[in-house]
Amino acid sequence: MTIATVMVFGVAVFAGVAAITMTYPVRARSDLIAQADAASRRLTTMVDTRRFTGPIPPNDGVQMQQIVDSHGRVVASSAGLAGHPPLTRARPSGGDSRVSDRVCLPRGCLIVVGTSNRSTAYGPVVAYAAVREPFLLRSSFLPMLLFGFSGVLVALLAWGAWYGVGRVLAPVERIRYGLERISAVDLSLRIDVPRTRDEVAELATTVNDTLARLEDAVARHRRFVSDASHELRTPITALMVRLEAGLEERSEADWRAALDDVRRLSDIVQDLLLMARLDAGVTPVTERIELGRLVADEITRRSWRLPVTMEIEPGVHVSGNRLRLARLFTNLLSNADRYGDRGVRVCVRRMGDEAVLEVADDGPGIPEEMREQVFERFRRLDHTRSRDTGGSGLGLPIARDIARGHGGSLEVGDGPGARLILRLPLL
């Protein structure tokens, strides 16, 4: 940043200085010539009919004036040039009545302009007017001063850019150092947020929020691995015990129990695979689906412990994957069938621009403080229920992930029992 700033600003400054050093002397000499020319022309009109009886008075601020006849003799002059020879030997020629010259004397250089007049009281004469050339025009001091000042200015700019950018990037360096100290083993550390209330402070806040989400994701991942290992270990252990017993007794009941354990183990593995696909964000093939018909088909496809009452509004269409939406509904219905007492009610309707599916049972319900925890993986509300006979704790989390994957939501509603409400965008 410093090099780029110095390069751009330095080129602009030195180009400007070079332009000034080339144009200023030309413009200044042009102004001096114009001043001397005006004085010289006025002087020629002053001697048209009369002679000067003394020194020539100043004219337009010009102090040095001379009138030189055709023989090169000074016939009149200002007080400062009394007794001096002509300022210059240059005379108008080629039909031009005006001549300009630059004369350098020990005391400095002069810009001299002469104007000829053939009919004056002195006869044919040339009226000369001279102005002193400033010191800066005849020396290299001005370019040296300008280039030197520009160099100092560019150097100060370089220091300011280096210091300013360093001050701006110092908090970023502290953020980088703080992130370097954080490892996957301990994600609880956070970055110090500066009190500047600027973009760097917002960056630090965003980094801390990202670290918090990362820590939560890692914690959920570790908890998921632990719970999955425990869930898989239970049916595998039971299966081994039943197989060992079956080898000795060869009873049909033991073989059927072992088969049930294998099926439960298969269900858990299938749930884990589906959750892995959902976490990976794999996009399934979608189609136009009538939600009421899909619900009716899934209800009649299997036999349920409790009677199911349907309130289905026809013509409620959504866009989604048929297999995943069917899995979502069967998870909700299985949960209601497991915890209900006398029956389950299923309702499909449209509400504004949403399709709403409700699955309600008349069981003990879900406490309000636990309504979000039931969507955590491997979370069960009935802690006294055995893992061998209950669900795996993945049904509702899978259902919510599928709902979110379809741009919808799944939440627990109020009711005497458990009431799960699915909302999907209406097609």
PDB file of all heavy atoms in Angstrom, residues 300-325:
ATOM      1  N   THR A 300     -52.328 -45.642   4.291  1.00  0.00           N
ATOM      2  CA  THR A 300     -52.883 -46.938   3.896  1.00  0.00           C
ATOM      3  C   THR A 300     -51.802 -47.961   3.574  1.00  0.00           C
ATOM      4  O   THR A 300     -52.108 -49.153   3.472  1.00  0.00           O
ATOM      5  CB  THR A 300     -53.785 -46.753   2.660  1.00  0.00           C
ATOM      6  OG1 THR A 300     -53.019 -46.163   1.595  1.00  0.00           O
ATOM      7  CG2 THR A 300     -54.967 -45.850   3.001  1.00  0.00           C
ATOM      8  N   ARG A 301     -50.575 -47.525   3.401  1.00  0.00           N
ATOM      9  CA  ARG A 301     -49.511 -48.462   3.037  1.00  0.00           C
ATOM     10  C   ARG A 301     -49.142 -49.389   4.187  1.00  0.00           C
ATOM     11  O   ARG A 301     -48.746 -50.528   3.973  1.00  0.00           O
ATOM     12  CB  ARG A 301     -48.270 -47.677   2.580  1.00  0.00           C
ATOM     13  CG  ARG A 301     -47.217 -48.541   1.916  1.00  0.00           C
ATOM     14  CD  ARG A 301     -45.984 -47.703   1.625  1.00  0.00           C
ATOM     15  NE  ARG A 301     -46.306 -46.555   0.799  1.00  0.00           N
ATOM     16  CZ  ARG A 301     -46.374 -46.597  -0.535  1.00  0.00           C
ATOM     17  NH1 ARG A 301     -46.135 -47.726  -1.180  1.00  0.00           N
ATOM     18  NH2 ARG A 301     -46.662 -45.507  -1.206  1.00  0.00           N
ATOM     19  N   ARG A 302     -49.254 -48.890   5.421  1.00  0.00           N
ATOM     20  CA  ARG A 302     -48.839 -49.683   6.587  1.00  0.00           C
ATOM     21  C   ARG A 302     -49.998 -49.786   7.566  1.00  0.00           C
ATOM     22  O   ARG A 302     -50.976 -49.033   7.508  1.00  0.00           O
ATOM     23  CB  ARG A 302     -47.645 -49.017   7.279  1.00  0.00           C
ATOM     24  CG  ARG A 302     -46.390 -48.981   6.430  1.00  0.00           C
ATOM     25  CD  ARG A 302     -45.313 -48.149   7.106  1.00  0.00           C
ATOM     26  NE  ARG A 302     -45.062 -48.567   8.487  1.00  0.00           N
ATOM     27  CZ  ARG A 302     -44.230 -47.940   9.310  1.00  0.00           C
ATOM     28  NH1 ARG A 302     -43.595 -46.851   8.891  1.00  0.00           N
ATOM     29  NH2 ARG A 302     -44.045 -48.390  10.524  1.00  0.00           N
ATOM     30  N   SER A 303     -49.868 -50.737   8.474  1.00  0.00           N
ATOM     31  CA  SER A 303     -50.850 -50.871   9.552  1.00  0.00           C
ATOM     32  C   SER A 303     -50.315 -50.151  10.780  1.00  0.00           C
ATOM     33  O   SER A 303     -49.125 -50.248  11.090  1.00  0.00           O
ATOM     34  CB  SER A 303     -51.093 -52.353   9.867  1.00  0.00           C
ATOM     35  OG  SER A 303     -49.886 -52.996  10.262  1.00  0.00           O
ATOM     36  N   TRP A 304     -51.231 -49.457  11.479  1.00  0.00           N
ATOM     37  CA  TRP A 304     -50.834 -48.645  12.616  1.00  0.00           C
ATOM     38  C   TRP A 304     -51.518 -49.147  13.885  1.00  0.00           C
ATOM     39  O   TRP A 304     -52.580 -49.773  13.835  1.00  0.00           O
ATOM     40  CB  TRP A 304     -51.189 -47.181  12.384  1.00  0.00           C
ATOM     41  CG  TRP A 304     -50.609 -46.641  11.118  1.00  0.00           C
ATOM     42  CD1 TRP A 304     -51.208 -46.583   9.909  1.00  0.00           C
ATOM     43  CD2 TRP A 304     -49.278 -46.145  10.933  1.00  0.00           C
ATOM     44  NE1 TRP A 304     -50.362 -46.062   8.962  1.00  0.00           N
ATOM     45  CE2 TRP A 304     -49.157 -45.778   9.569  1.00  0.00           C
ATOM     46  CE3 TRP A 304     -48.187 -45.975  11.783  1.00  0.00           C
ATOM     47  CZ2 TRP A 304     -47.987 -45.258   9.042  1.00  0.00           C
ATOM     48  CZ3 TRP A 304     -47.030 -45.432  11.253  1.00  0.00           C
ATOM     49  CH2 TRP A 304     -46.928 -45.094   9.909  1.00  0.00           C
ATOM     50  N   ARG A 305     -50.897 -48.885  14.994  1.00  0.00           N
ATOM     51  CA  ARG A 305     -51.445 -49.333  16.275  1.00  0.00           C
ATOM     52  C   ARG A 305     -52.732 -48.602  16.606  1.00  0.00           C
ATOM     53  O   ARG A 305     -53.689 -49.208  17.111  1.00  0.00           O
ATOM     54  CB  ARG A 305     -50.401 -49.102  17.385  1.00  0.00           C
ATOM     55  CG  ARG A 305     -50.833 -49.575  18.757  1.00  0.00           C
ATOM     56  CD  ARG A 305     -49.716 -49.354  19.765  1.00  0.00           C
ATOM     57  NE  ARG A 305     -49.457 -47.938  19.977  1.00  0.00           N
ATOM     58  CZ  ARG A 305     -50.082 -47.204  20.894  1.00  0.00           C
ATOM     59  NH1 ARG A 305     -51.023 -47.741  21.666  1.00  0.00           N
ATOM     60  NH2 ARG A 305     -49.775 -45.926  21.036  1.00  0.00           N
ATOM     61  N   LEU A 306     -52.794 -47.324  16.315  1.00  0.00           N
ATOM     62  CA  LEU A 306     -53.955 -46.493  16.635  1.00  0.00           C
ATOM     63  C   LEU A 306     -54.698 -46.120  15.364  1.00  0.00           C
ATOM     64  O   LEU A 306     -54.109 -46.038  14.280  1.00  0.00           O
ATOM     65  CB  LEU A 306     -53.506 -45.217  17.370  1.00  0.00           C
ATOM     66  CG  LEU A 306     -52.762 -45.396  18.696  1.00  0.00           C
ATOM     67  CD1 LEU A 306     -52.312 -44.049  19.230  1.00  0.00           C
ATOM     68  CD2 LEU A 306     -53.637 -46.104  19.702  1.00  0.00           C
ATOM     69  N   PRO A 307     -56.007 -45.875  15.461  1.00  0.00           N
ATOM     70  CA  PRO A 307     -56.746 -45.407  14.290  1.00  0.00           C
ATOM     71  C   PRO A 307     -56.316 -43.985  13.922  1.00  0.00           C
ATOM     72  O   PRO A 307     -56.042 -43.160  14.776  1.00  0.00           O
ATOM     73  CB  PRO A 307     -58.202 -45.454  14.749  1.00  0.00           C
ATOM     74  CG  PRO A 307     -58.129 -45.363  16.245  1.00  0.00           C
ATOM     75  CD  PRO A 307     -56.876 -46.088  16.643  1.00  0.00           C
ATOM     76  N   VAL A 308     -56.307 -43.725  12.622  1.00  0.00           N
ATOM     77  CA  VAL A 308     -55.851 -42.436  12.105  1.00  0.00           C
ATOM     78  C   VAL A 308     -57.031 -41.722  11.459  1.00  0.00           C
ATOM     79  O   VAL A 308     -57.702 -42.285  10.576  1.00  0.00           O
ATOM     80  CB  VAL A 308     -54.710 -42.600  11.082  1.00  0.00           C
ATOM     81  CG1 VAL A 308     -54.258 -41.242  10.560  1.00  0.00           C
ATOM     82  CG2 VAL A 308     -53.532 -43.345  11.703  1.00  0.00           C
ATOM     83  N   THR A 309     -57.286 -40.495  11.916  1.00  0.00           N
ATOM     84  CA  THR A 309     -58.345 -39.663  11.351  1.00  0.00           C
ATOM     85  C   THR A 309     -57.716 -38.641  10.415  1.00  0.00           C
ATOM     86  O   THR A 309     -56.775 -37.935  10.794  1.00  0.00           O
ATOM     87  CB  THR A 309     -59.118 -38.941  12.465  1.00  0.00           C
ATOM     88  OG1 THR A 309     -59.650 -39.915  13.370  1.00  0.00           O
ATOM     89  CG2 THR A 309     -60.239 -38.110  11.882  1.00  0.00           C
ATOM     90  N   MET A 310     -58.265 -38.576   9.186  1.00  0.00           N
ATOM     91  CA  MET A 310     -57.682 -37.689   8.171  1.00  0.00           C
ATOM     92  C   MET A 310     -58.624 -36.533   7.861  1.00  0.00           C
ATOM     93  O   MET A 310     -59.830 -36.735   7.704  1.00  0.00           O
ATOM     94  CB  MET A 310     -57.384 -38.467   6.892  1.00  0.00           C
ATOM     95  CG  MET A 310     -56.275 -39.500   7.027  1.00  0.00           C
ATOM     96  SD  MET A 310     -55.886 -40.277   5.431  1.00  0.00           S
ATOM     97  CE  MET A 310     -57.388 -41.225   5.151  1.00  0.00           C
ATOM     98  N   GLU A 311     -58.074 -35.326   7.794  1.00  0.00           N
ATOM     99  CA  GLU A 311     -58.784 -34.138   7.325  1.00  0.00           C
ATOM    100  C   GLU A 311     -57.922 -33.522   6.221  1.00  0.00           C
ATOM    101  O   GLU A 311     -57.016 -32.744   6.492  1.00  0.00           O
ATOM    102  CB  GLU A 311     -59.002 -33.135   8.462  1.00  0.00           C
ATOM    103  CG  GLU A 311     -59.842 -33.673   9.609  1.00  0.00           C
ATOM    104  CD  GLU A 311     -59.952 -32.677  10.746  1.00  0.00           C
ATOM    105  OE1 GLU A 311     -59.507 -31.517  10.550  1.00  0.00           O
ATOM    106  OE2 GLU A 311     -60.457 -33.041  11.827  1.00  0.00           O
ATOM    107  N   ILE A 312     -58.198 -33.912   4.988  1.00  0.00           N
ATOM    108  CA  ILE A 312     -57.320 -33.561   3.873  1.00  0.00           C
ATOM    109  C   ILE A 312     -58.053 -32.635   2.927  1.00  0.00           C
ATOM    110  O   ILE A 312     -59.137 -32.947   2.431  1.00  0.00           O
ATOM    111  CB  ILE A 312     -56.850 -34.827   3.130  1.00  0.00           C
ATOM    112  CG1 ILE A 312     -56.006 -35.708   4.070  1.00  0.00           C
ATOM    113  CG2 ILE A 312     -56.045 -34.441   1.893  1.00  0.00           C
ATOM    114  CD1 ILE A 312     -55.531 -36.991   3.449  1.00  0.00           C
ATOM    115  N   GLU A 313     -57.447 -31.479   2.674  1.00  0.00           N
ATOM    116  CA  GLU A 313     -57.962 -30.547   1.682  1.00  0.00           C
ATOM    117  C   GLU A 313     -57.339 -30.885   0.333  1.00  0.00           C
ATOM    118  O   GLU A 313     -56.111 -30.924   0.206  1.00  0.00           O
ATOM    119  CB  GLU A 313     -57.615 -29.109   2.079  1.00  0.00           C
ATOM    120  CG  GLU A 313     -58.074 -28.069   1.077  1.00  0.00           C
ATOM    121  CD  GLU A 313     -57.687 -26.662   1.492  1.00  0.00           C
ATOM    122  OE1 GLU A 313     -57.315 -26.477   2.674  1.00  0.00           O
ATOM    123  OE2 GLU A 313     -57.740 -25.752   0.637  1.00  0.00           O
ATOM    124  N   PRO A 314     -58.126 -31.140  -0.692  1.00  0.00           N
ATOM    125  CA  PRO A 314     -57.559 -31.529  -1.986  1.00  0.00           C
ATOM    126  C   PRO A 314     -56.904 -30.336  -2.690  1.00  0.00           C
ATOM    127  O   PRO A 314     -57.189 -29.178  -2.404  1.00  0.00           O
ATOM    128  CB  PRO A 314     -58.785 -32.033  -2.764  1.00  0.00           C
ATOM    129  CG  PRO A 314     -59.932 -31.295  -2.158  1.00  0.00           C
ATOM    130  CD  PRO A 314     -59.602 -31.143  -0.700  1.00  0.00           C
ATOM    131  N   GLY A 315     -56.018 -30.666  -3.614  1.00  0.00           N
ATOM    132  CA  GLY A 315     -55.397 -29.634  -4.437  1.00  0.00           C
ATOM    133  C   GLY A 315     -54.279 -28.865  -3.768  1.00  0.00           C
ATOM    134  O   GLY A 315     -53.908 -27.795  -4.243  1.00  0.00           O
ATOM    135  N   VAL A 316     -53.708 -29.395  -2.671  1.00  0.00           N
ATOM    136  CA  VAL A 316     -52.585 -28.734  -1.999  1.00  0.00           C
ATOM    137  C   VAL A 316     -51.297 -29.322  -2.577  1.00  0.00           C
ATOM    138  O   VAL A 316     -50.910 -30.437  -2.238  1.00  0.00           O
ATOM    139  CB  VAL A 316     -52.639 -28.918  -0.466  1.00  0.00           C
ATOM    140  CG1 VAL A 316     -51.451 -28.225   0.181  1.00  0.00           C
ATOM    141  CG2 VAL A 316     -53.949 -28.397   0.076  1.00  0.00           C
ATOM    142  N   HIS A 317     -50.677 -28.595  -3.486  1.00  0.00           N
ATOM    143  CA  HIS A 317     -49.491 -29.091  -4.191  1.00  0.00           C
ATOM    144  C   HIS A 317     -48.230 -28.396  -3.685  1.00  0.00           C
ATOM    145  O   HIS A 317     -48.238 -27.193  -3.405  1.00  0.00           O
ATOM    146  CB  HIS A 317     -49.627 -28.866  -5.700  1.00  0.00           C
ATOM    147  CG  HIS A 317     -50.699 -29.704  -6.327  1.00  0.00           C
ATOM    148  ND1 HIS A 317     -52.005 -29.288  -6.433  1.00  0.00           N
ATOM    149  CD2 HIS A 317     -50.652 -30.953  -6.880  1.00  0.00           C
ATOM    150  CE1 HIS A 317     -52.723 -30.215  -7.034  1.00  0.00           C
ATOM    151  NE2 HIS A 317     -51.934 -31.246  -7.313  1.00  0.00           N
ATOM    152  N   VAL A 318     -47.165 -29.186  -3.594  1.00  0.00           N
ATOM    153  CA  VAL A 318     -45.845 -28.673  -3.214  1.00  0.00           C
ATOM    154  C   VAL A 318     -44.823 -29.243  -4.182  1.00  0.00           C
ATOM    155  O   VAL A 318     -45.099 -30.182  -4.923  1.00  0.00           O
ATOM    156  CB  VAL A 318     -45.474 -29.054  -1.763  1.00  0.00           C
ATOM    157  CG1 VAL A 318     -46.428 -28.430  -0.774  1.00  0.00           C
ATOM    158  CG2 VAL A 318     -45.436 -30.566  -1.594  1.00  0.00           C
ATOM    159  N   SER A 319     -43.635 -28.668  -4.171  1.00  0.00           N
ATOM    160  CA  SER A 319     -42.519 -29.181  -4.961  1.00  0.00           C
ATOM    161  C   SER A 319     -41.514 -29.818  -4.016  1.00  0.00           C
ATOM    162  O   SER A 319     -41.064 -29.194  -3.049  1.00  0.00           O
ATOM    163  CB  SER A 319     -41.852 -28.041  -5.742  1.00  0.00           C
ATOM    164  OG  SER A 319     -40.716 -28.512  -6.441  1.00  0.00           O
ATOM    165  N   GLY A 320     -41.168 -31.084  -4.289  1.00  0.00           N
ATOM    166  CA  GLY A 320     -40.235 -31.762  -3.400  1.00  0.00           C
ATOM    167  C   GLY A 320     -39.919 -33.153  -3.897  1.00  0.00           C
ATOM    168  O   GLY A 320     -40.375 -33.606  -4.951  1.00  0.00           O
ATOM    169  N   ASN A 321     -39.127 -33.853  -3.090  1.00  0.00           N
ATOM    170  CA  ASN A 321     -38.764 -35.232  -3.381  1.00  0.00           C
ATOM    171  C   ASN A 321     -39.755 -36.150  -2.693  1.00  0.00           C
ATOM    172  O   ASN A 321     -39.954 -36.072  -1.473  1.00  0.00           O
ATOM    173  CB  ASN A 321     -37.336 -35.504  -2.909  1.00  0.00           C
ATOM    174  CG  ASN A 321     -36.884 -36.914  -3.189  1.00  0.00           C
ATOM    175  OD1 ASN A 321     -36.981 -37.790  -2.330  1.00  0.00           O
ATOM    176  ND2 ASN A 321     -36.397 -37.137  -4.397  1.00  0.00           N
ATOM    177  N   ARG A 322     -40.398 -37.018  -3.473  1.00  0.00           N
ATOM    178  CA  ARG A 322     -41.469 -37.854  -2.935  1.00  0.00           C
ATOM    179  C   ARG A 322     -40.970 -38.773  -1.831  1.00  0.00           C
ATOM    180  O   ARG A 322     -41.627 -38.937  -0.787  1.00  0.00           O
ATOM    181  CB  ARG A 322     -42.100 -38.674  -4.070  1.00  0.00           C
ATOM    182  CG  ARG A 322     -43.298 -39.520  -3.642  1.00  0.00           C
ATOM    183  CD  ARG A 322     -43.944 -40.176  -4.827  1.00  0.00           C
ATOM    184  NE  ARG A 322     -44.490 -39.172  -5.749  1.00  0.00           N
ATOM    185  CZ  ARG A 322     -45.695 -38.650  -5.621  1.00  0.00           C
ATOM    186  NH1 ARG A 322     -46.498 -39.021  -4.612  1.00  0.00           N
ATOM    187  NH2 ARG A 322     -46.130 -37.758  -6.475  1.00  0.00           N
ATOM    188  N   LEU A 323     -39.810 -39.410  -2.015  1.00  0.00           N
ATOM    189  CA  LEU A 323     -39.307 -40.357  -1.012  1.00  0.00           C
ATOM    190  C   LEU A 323     -38.998 -39.643   0.303  1.00  0.00           C
ATOM    191  O   LEU A 323     -39.325 -40.154   1.385  1.00  0.00           O
ATOM    192  CB  LEU A 323     -38.064 -41.065  -1.541  1.00  0.00           C
ATOM    193  CG  LEU A 323     -38.282 -42.012  -2.734  1.00  0.00           C
ATOM    194  CD1 LEU A 323     -36.957 -42.604  -3.185  1.00  0.00           C
ATOM    195  CD2 LEU A 323     -39.258 -43.141  -2.348  1.00  0.00           C
ATOM    196  N   ARG A 324     -38.375 -38.464   0.223  1.00  0.00           N
ATOM    197  CA  ARG A 324     -38.006 -37.772   1.463  1.00  0.00           C
ATOM    198  C   ARG A 324     -39.232 -37.203   2.177  1.00  0.00           C
ATOM    199  O   ARG A 324     -39.312 -37.256   3.415  1.00  0.00           O
ATOM    200  CB  ARG A 324     -37.001 -36.659   1.160  1.00  0.00           C
ATOM    201  CG  ARG A 324     -35.637 -37.201   0.765  1.00  0.00           C
ATOM    202  CD  ARG A 324     -34.573 -36.134   0.792  1.00  0.00           C
ATOM    203  NE  ARG A 324     -33.257 -36.684   0.476  1.00  0.00           N
ATOM    204  CZ  ARG A 324     -32.132 -35.983   0.462  1.00  0.00           C
ATOM    205  NH1 ARG A 324     -32.179 -34.689   0.732  1.00  0.00           N
ATOM    206  NH2 ARG A 324     -30.977 -36.559   0.171  1.00  0.00           N
ATOM    207  N   LEU A 325     -40.194 -36.668   1.416  1.00  0.00           N
ATOM    208  CA  LEU A 325     -41.409 -36.174   2.069  1.00  0.00           C
ATOM    209  C   LEU A 325     -42.205 -37.310   2.676  1.00  0.00           C
ATOM    210  O   LEU A 325     -42.810 -37.161   3.751  1.00  0.00           O
ATOM    211  CB  LEU A 325     -42.252 -35.392   1.059  1.00  0.00           C
ATOM    212  CG  LEU A 325     -41.696 -34.032   0.620  1.00  0.00           C
ATOM    213  CD1 LEU A 325     -42.630 -33.373  -0.382  1.00  0.00           C
ATOM    214  CD2 LEU A 325     -41.484 -33.113   1.820  1.00  0.00           C
TER     215      LEU A 325
END
